Amino acid sequence: MTAGRLRIMRGREWARPVRPARREVLSVLPELEQGRPPLLFVPGFGHGAWAFAEHWLEHAASRGFPAYAVSLRGHGGSEPAPDASLRAYVHDVTQVAAELPRQAVLVGHGAGALVVAHALARYPARAAVLVAPVFGGWSALGAAVRRNPVGTLPALWGGRLRLNRRQLFSAELPDAAARAHLARLGRAGRRAQWRLLFPGGLEPAVGRPPVLVLGSPDDRVVPAAALTRVARRYGSAPLLFPGMGHDVMLDARWREPVDALLDWLVKEPAPAVAALSR
Amino acid sequence: MSISTDHGGPDDAPATSALGSDGRPVSDRGDTVCVIGAGASGLTAVKNLREHGFGVDCYERETGVGGAWNWRHDRSPVYASTHLISSRPFTQFPDFPMPDSWPDYPHHSQLLSYFERYADHFDLRQHIWFGTEVVRVEPVEGDRWDVTTRSTGGYGPERTSRYAAVVVANGHNWSPKLPGYEGLDGFRGETIHASAYQDPAQLRGKRVLVVGAGNTGCDIAVEAAQQAAACWHSTRRGYWYAPKYVLGRPADQVNDLLLWLRVPRRVRQWLYHRTMRLTVGDLTRFGLPAPDHRVYETHPIANSQLVYYVGHGAITPVPDVRRFHPYGVELTDGREIEPDLVVFATGYLPRFEFLDPRLVGDDAGEGRPTLYLNAFPKGYPTLAVVGLVQPDSGLFPISHWQSVLVARLLTLRQDRPERAAAFAAKVASAAGERYSGRVKDSSRHWFEVGHVDYLRAVQRALNDLEATK
């Protein structure tokens, strides 16, 4: 589990709560209620709820999971928020999670996984899945600059982070589909983007949720070593899907990771019951 | 969602049977923890104990969750127009935010829906035995507890179950504290305690005397100003009436900005006094007594409208009541007024009728337990009281962290018993500690805590427990 202690004092949160914003939430619900926990998909920077509405929401619902996806403020159909901070994104996720009828499973993709990791300290999720997690830091910046200097460097000065086709998708995805997805990409708030350079301050998750990390060894945004690092933080190893790009939920073989994710949720045992010493 | 309606108790077959102190059979609930009450504090206790892996049986005398905030409950003190006096960030559970779309100071019906959603979201109802009241809680060997329950109202047989630990969360704002005035029995007008006040219609057209300057007293005085033929507001002392908004923001958020910036108390008091001068003005000009204490020495009265209606002449501030006459009330300044209705907003006293007061350190039996962190009694490491605080902020985050501490402590009894023993030693040495700076010594302030001081103390206690892992 993540290092660090439970934090009670939140003077900043109390004194300067995050300004409310209108949020887009897309959902697909199963035809029959099967008692499965709702899933809340959190897209990465530049992506909106649409990224999950393409394939994963429908598929999760077809397997009995109520599936929701939120667009972080400034993304997708949510309210524009060019100055949004990471704290505001975390607020968006905890707000939507708490509005769901039952304790939710948080699924974060890319930098959305970092948002989910922070949200886990504020909301006791049933479980969490970090998909191709971008936790930032200088080594991540180095890798991004090497692979895509033109798309990455402007972001250092508050410009837009532009990820290219080769980073996001495998060659298997038809060009037309890839172009359509790329055209829908937006941009994250400047302050939130800068936080990727200084991603410290991650607090421990409340409620002891099981955490699964999954990604691709061929992801050209998140190196395999970074996947392992994140998974180790949560005491596990990453589940890998070779041959896929960073946007596993939009790539040609999108079904494999989501099936693995749902299989894991079905099998994940309930936390053990504690016993008191007498 | 399943809701239990059996009034007898848990339907799981007991693993073993034992005999209670009176020779009656006892269902042994093993390592299960008993929580008493399904109000805000009880719900968060159930949720946090479950989250830490404990089995929980929660007994609730009413048929729904929400405790004091469920106006259908006969012990609920809320009335039709009750709104929060602490803004949302201070009121919500730290891990279950209130919706962004809600106002800064939600209505009591929103609070109830919040607790119902909390119970459903975390699937808590299956652990709650509704319509079941706790009759007795007695310690037995091995730091365990025999809890005797029966159907609310005394129907049906009593049942006793044995638990590994008990968390008392029965609330402390339901048993009215009534003042004893000379001549009160012979008074021919109507008298009610604020707990019986439900609706402004009760005040309409009447000459009303409201006694007490707590938040409830001030709220009812404001309602009387709008509905009654006349309203007198009797206060024993002068108070600080803080507006709900200053500088365009909820006042408690502005105050916490200063706390977050670690501005010294003296400076905060000076700033507060300056702000009050600039916004509310000189209260004595309206006939209100000057405060006899500096601000932050009692929990604030958050009311933007009281001074407004005093300024309109709709509320007449009067001093304390000296005695009652059959048709009038004599005040300490010699004046006599003739109200039709007297509302005693004189507060509440905690009651643990199912518990020997000595178990919670109330040796004098006056209703004031001696507890560490207002939660842990000396000598009983598996007993805790949650929610027995009167904070200068919202109560529910405090109940949340108290119950997290209880859950972690109970876990520690298994994992690191020596650390649990160290905590017990701390409880013995620090029981009765205050977390509020200097406050008036009256029953109104028995459980007063400064939310920052108190939560820092809980943080230290949690850190001490975690440091050993």
Side-chain angles (χ1 to χ4, degrees):
Chain A
M1 200 44 66
T2 46
R5 284 174 173 172
L6 206 59
R7 188 169 146 224
I8 291 182
M9 302 307 296
R10 293 191 186 274
R12 190 174 172 217
E13 306 272 331
W14 298 331
R16 307 290 296 172
V18 171
R19 186 182 61 78
R22 185 177 44 77
R23 288 175 291 265
E24 175 189 44
V25 178
L26 304 179
S27 62
V28 181
L29 305 180
E31 284 177 20
L32 280 175
E33 166 64 49
Q34 297 177 30
R36 296 210 154 134
L39 310 182
L40 176 59
F41 292 98
V42 180
F45 290 0
H47 295 66
W50 57 265
F52 292 104
E54 202 72 18
H55 307 296
W56 279 22
L57 291 190
E58 191 78 53
H59 189 72
S62 74
R63 289 194 49 184
F65 289 88
Y68 301 81
V70 58
S71 291
L72 300 172
R73 60 183 67 198
H75 291 79
S78 289
E79 189 176 308
D83 292 319
S85 62
L86 190 61
R87 183 164 82 104
Y89 292 160
V90 173
H91 174 85
D92 288 341
V93 171
T94 51
Q95 276 282 317
V96 177
E99 279 167 17
L100 299 181
R102 281 176 292 123
Q103 206 171 0
V105 176
L106 302 184
V107 185
H109 170 258
L114 180 63
V115 177
V116 163
H118 280 284
L120 289 178
R122 308 302 313 276
Y123 169 78
R126 176 79 61 98
V129 184
L130 308 178
V131 184
V134 175
F135 271 31
W138 294 101
S139 62
L141 174 70
V145 169
R146 271 198 309 279
R147 284 177 178 148
N148 180 10
V150 178
T152 307
L153 286 171
L156 287 175
W157 285 272
R160 179 177 169 180
L161 180 66
R162 286 174 192 277
L163 299 177
N164 59 33
R165 185 207 192 289
R166 289 190 61 211
Q167 285 177 297
L168 295 183
F169 310 110
S170 69
E172 284 176 64
L173 187 72
D175 262 349
R179 271 202 302 278
H181 296 325
L182 284 171
R184 297 188 76 172
L185 291 181
R187 55 164 301 173
R190 279 179 289 272
R191 292 165 64 200
Q193 234 169 234
W194 277 322
R195 261 304 288 279
L196 286 178
L197 292 178
F198 311 99
L202 207 53
E203 295 171 34
V206 292
R208 304 182 304 164
V211 179
L212 172 70
V213 176
L214 56 84
S216 165
D218 303 311
D219 185 334
R220 293 174 70 83
V221 174
V222 184
L227 282 178
T228 308
R229 237 184 349 261
V230 172
R232 202 171 287 156
R233 185 189 274 270
Y234 294 96
S236 67
L239 204 53
L240 297 175
F241 297 85
M244 299 190 78
H246 179 65
D247 279 2
V248 290
M249 66 286 189
L250 293 169
D251 214 339
R253 282 159 42 211
W254 58 265
R255 197 183 299 265
E256 293 172 30
V258 70
D259 268 333
L261 183 166
L262 299 174
D263 288 344
W264 177 76
L265 283 175
V266 170
K267 288 176 197 157
E268 183 56 35
V273 172
L276 296 180
S277 61
R278 285 178 224 167
Chain B
M1 182 177 76
S2 65
I3 301 175
S4 59
T5 50
D6 173 14
H7 292 156
D11 61 356
D12 297 2
T16 55
S17 255
L19 291 180
S21 54
D22 53 0
R24 291 172 56 206
V26 172
S27 308
D28 193 327
R29 299 287 293 148
D31 292 320
T32 306
V33 179
C34 173
V35 173
I36 300 171
S41 299
L43 284 176
T44 194
V46 175
K47 181 243 168 204
N48 284 310
L49 286 162
R50 290 290 307 151
E51 205 166 280
H52 283 75
F54 292 103
V56 179
D57 287 340
C58 173
Y59 296 112
E60 167 56 54
R61 66 188 301 282
E62 302 283 355
T63 51
V65 300
W69 292 93
N70 193 327
W71 62 271
R72 289 184 290 265
H73 292 177
D74 61 3
R75 288 179 172 182
S76 167
V78 303
Y79 41 88
S81 59
T82 304
H83 278 258
L84 285 177
I85 54 169
S86 58
S87 70
R88 273 191 292 125
F90 300 91
T91 315
Q92 62 199 5
F93 292 121
D95 57 357
F96 192 70
M98 289 183 181
D100 269 350
S101 55
W102 280 11
D104 289 325
Y105 297 99
H107 185 247
H108 73 82
S109 58
Q110 288 174 304
L111 257 284
L112 176 58
S113 77
Y114 176 69
F115 295 129
E116 286 176 337
R117 240 164 21 82
Y118 183 82
D120 292 335
H121 192 86
F122 295 110
D123 207 9
L124 304 181
R125 291 184 202 257
Q126 59 174 316
H127 308 291
I128 303 171
W129 298 89
F130 291 103
T132 306
E133 64 185 5
V134 173
V135 183
R136 273 187 310 282
V137 174
E138 297 164 310
V140 290
E141 62 179 14
D143 291 328
R144 290 161 62 73
W145 297 88
D146 278 358
V147 177
T148 303
T149 57
R150 70 173 173 218
S151 173
T152 303
Y155 303 108
E158 291 185 356
R159 272 181 65 157
T160 304
S161 306
R162 186 160 292 176
Y163 290 96
V166 169
V167 175
V168 178
N170 65 331
H172 61 278
N173 282 333
W174 54 268
S175 178
K177 185 178 78 173
L178 277 164
Y181 287 109
E182 186 187 333
L184 182 57
D185 290 343
F187 180 61
R188 300 289 177 86
E190 190 185 355
T191 59
I192 59 168
H193 185 268
S195 58
Y197 174 68
Q198 296 284 315
D199 192 277
Q202 290 169 263
L203 308 171
R204 204 159 290 154
K206 294 178 181 165
R207 287 169 300 155
V208 178
L209 167 66
V210 180
V211 180
N215 280 292
T216 302
C218 292
D219 283 351
I220 296 176
V222 165
E223 301 224 327
Q226 298 165 47
Q227 305 289 340
C231 172
W232 295 278
H233 188 205
S234 164
T235 60
R236 199 173 295 175
R237 303 164 19 209
Y239 295 91
W240 295 100
Y241 300 99
K244 280 189 161 176
Y245 286 90
V246 287
L247 308 173
R249 297 186 56 76
D252 51 4
Q253 294 178 17
V254 175
N255 183 47
D256 262 54
L257 184 64
L258 301 178
L259 287 169
W260 178 47
L261 298 171
R262 302 234 174 198
V263 175
R265 183 181 165 102
R266 280 272 171 196
V267 179
R268 282 190 291 119
Q269 282 176 326
W270 181 83
L271 279 169
Y272 191 104
H273 290 161
R274 291 299 303 166
T275 313
M276 295 296 275
R277 280 275 169 185
L278 289 168
T279 51
V280 181
D282 179 7
L283 293 173
T284 58
R285 197 173 70 77
F286 298 101
L288 286 161
D292 60 351
H293 56 281
R294 292 180 70 77
V295 74
Y296 301 127
E297 287 176 4
T298 64
H299 70 266
I301 294 159
N303 194 311
S304 298
Q305 291 175 288
L306 187 90
V307 176
Y308 174 85
Y309 282 109
V310 170
H312 281 201
I315 297 175
T316 308
V318 294
D320 198 12
V321 172
R322 178 175 288 159
R323 64 176 68 88
F324 279 79
H325 297 301
Y327 295 100
V329 178
E330 187 183 330
L331 305 168
T332 50
D333 63 359
R335 258 188 294 173
E336 188 162 331
I337 55 175
E338 294 183 354
D340 307 317
L341 169 68
V342 180
V343 182
F344 290 110
T346 42
Y348 300 84
L349 282 173
R351 275 180 63 195
F352 307 98
E353 67 267 72
F354 46 79
L355 206 59
D356 181 342
R358 285 169 298 188
L359 295 176
V360 286
D362 178 20
D363 295 343
E366 59 176 354
R368 182 181 191 175
T370 306
L371 306 166
Y372 172 55
L373 286 172
N374 287 37
F376 300 97
K378 278 189 279 191
Y380 297 98
T382 50
L383 177 67
V385 182
V386 168
L388 187 61
V389 284
Q390 185 105 47
D392 58 349
S393 176
L395 169 64
F396 317 136
I398 288 178
S399 296
H400 168 88
W401 291 115
Q402 283 179 330
S403 56
V404 168
L405 185 57
V406 171
R408 297 211 165 188
L409 192 62
L410 293 176
T411 309
L412 209 66
R413 280 173 58 79
Q414 181 194 25
D415 300 343
R416 299 290 297 270
E418 75 285 0
R419 289 305 305 163
F423 185 87
K426 176 78 180 167
V427 170
S429 65
E433 209 170 68
R434 299 298 300 261
Y435 309 90
S436 58
R438 193 168 72 86
V439 290
K440 295 276 168 189
D441 190 27
S442 90
S443 63
R444 177 176 167 185
H445 306 302
W446 275 355
F447 309 111
E448 186 135 333
V449 301
H451 69 287
V452 169
D453 293 342
Y454 183 83
L455 289 175
R456 281 198 182 121
V458 175
Q459 176 91 67
R460 280 194 296 276
L462 275 168
N463 290 351
D464 287 347
L465 297 186
E466 284 184 24
T468 61
K469 287 192 175 173

